[in-house]
Amino acid sequence: MTSIPADPTLALGNIIRFEQVQNLMEIAELQKPVDLASERLNNLIGSSYKLKMIFDQMVNLKVELSVIKKLTKEIQALKKSTGEAAVDLAEATIQAGRDIREKKLKMSQTKIGKSIESPIDWAISSLAPQNISYDSLRFDVKYFSELESKDKSSAGTSQSNETSTEKASKYVKEFFFLPGENRQTANSHAKNSFKTRNEQVQSSAILGTVVIAASCVHKTADIFAPCILDAKKSIGAWNHIHP
């Protein structure tokens, strides 16, 4: 995801010119292809992880070979689409970078700005944070069988029961660590899930663990509540804008 366009000369509570907001809206429009391409790639990568887990489950359940072949074909097609989506994202990013640069060259500088004094009465007005919308919502569930891990260990295909714990931890990390996501957050969740499940396996006799992963990102805005205007400053601002 691209960053939200910003103008350093805009200050919360101050009077702004429409042209300033219009410039940011145009830059956001130029970033739109990149955001859409990034969202498509993220969805395809998430689907790839999920289909891989489903494929492993089908193999463990020993479903018919014809079904496995069809599923393999669909997974290969998904991989091809994922590669194409990655190329589309790269192309969109390069093109958007050029378009945004040309747009900014035509804009006035934004390092230093001036504005009439805000009409807000700062002494009796106050700021309050408020959630205004959500950016994304993802949800997934997977079951990790301890019996399956023990069966593989008996067959010589696994070293210890910790393998299932590592798989659960890896699943959590892959769920949260997608392009555009925070690596530190993914590592933290994976570490916590590994520690929790490992403690349960060592202290209790369990058959398996259901891991529920959910991610919700929302926007937060600071608003004036209440917003009280100063009469004198309001008149001065009005006369400045409408001389």
Side-chain angles (χ1 to χ4, degrees):
M1 298 292 288
T2 57
S3 59
I4 299 175
D7 185 341
T9 62
L10 295 177
L12 185 63
N14 281 6
I15 294 175
I16 62 174
R17 292 179 289 106
F18 175 74
E19 292 79 9
Q20 293 175 290
V21 179
Q22 184 65 30
N23 287 334
L24 297 181
M25 291 174 62
E26 291 177 3
I27 292 176
E29 192 65 30
L30 294 175
Q31 291 178 342
K32 182 179 178 181
V34 181
D35 292 334
L36 293 177
S38 178
E39 181 180 1
R40 176 171 178 257
L41 179 59
N42 287 346
N43 290 336
L44 288 172
I45 292 175
S47 298
S48 297
Y49 286 134
K50 193 167 185 178
L51 279 180
K52 183 179 182 301
M53 291 186 289
I54 292 175
F55 179 85
D56 292 339
Q57 290 173 340
M58 295 300 101
V59 172
N60 292 333
L61 292 173
K62 298 180 180 180
V63 300
E64 296 180 3
L65 183 60
S66 59
V67 175
I68 297 296
K69 288 183 178 180
K70 289 180 180 179
L71 185 57
T72 301
K73 183 178 180 181
E74 295 300 324
I75 291 176
Q76 292 301 321
L78 182 60
K79 288 182 178 180
K80 182 180 179 181
S81 297
T82 303
E84 294 172 351
V87 174
D88 292 342
L89 176 58
E91 293 176 347
T93 301
I94 294 173
Q95 185 60 47
R98 293 170 180 167
D99 295 340
I100 291 173
R101 180 177 180 275
E102 292 179 3
K103 171 64 182 175
K104 288 185 175 181
L105 287 174
K106 298 177 182 178
M107 293 167 49
S108 302
Q109 61 84 24
T110 58
K111 287 186 177 180
I112 302 175
K114 63 179 181 178
S115 175
I116 189 66
E117 184 182 7
S118 172
I120 292 179
D121 190 330
W122 301 102
I124 54 179
S125 298
S126 60
L127 282 172
Q130 180 174 338
N131 297 333
I132 56 176
S133 65
Y134 75 90
D135 283 335
S136 63
L137 176 63
R138 295 187 296 117
F139 183 88
D140 199 15
V141 179
K142 183 170 175 59
Y143 176 74
F144 294 90
S145 173
E146 199 64 32
L147 294 178
E148 177 184 330
S149 178
K150 291 179 180 179
D151 290 342
K152 289 183 178 181
S153 179
S154 300
T157 59
S158 179
Q159 297 296 322
S160 66
N161 293 342
E162 191 177 4
T163 301
S164 59
T165 303
E166 291 175 344
K167 287 182 178 179
S169 177
K170 182 180 179 182
Y171 160 75
V172 173
K173 184 175 182 178
E174 290 176 347
F175 178 87
F176 285 100
F177 181 47
L178 294 175
E181 296 286 347
N182 190 321
R183 180 187 294 271
Q184 184 177 358
T185 300
N187 290 337
S188 175
H189 288 310
K191 183 178 179 180
N192 291 337
S193 65
F194 179 90
K195 180 180 178 182
T196 301
R197 193 175 191 280
N198 201 37
E199 289 175 350
Q200 291 296 322
V201 171
Q202 293 179 1
S203 62
S204 307
I206 63 175
L207 297 178
T209 304
V210 175
V211 178
I212 302 175
S215 173
C216 180
V217 181
H218 60 80
K219 296 178 180 178
T220 302
D222 290 331
I223 63 173
F224 285 99
C227 180
I228 309 299
L229 301 182
D230 181 276
K232 272 189 169 184
K233 292 194 292 184
S234 297
I235 294 173
W238 177 270
N239 291 335
H240 176 80
I241 298 174
H242 305 284

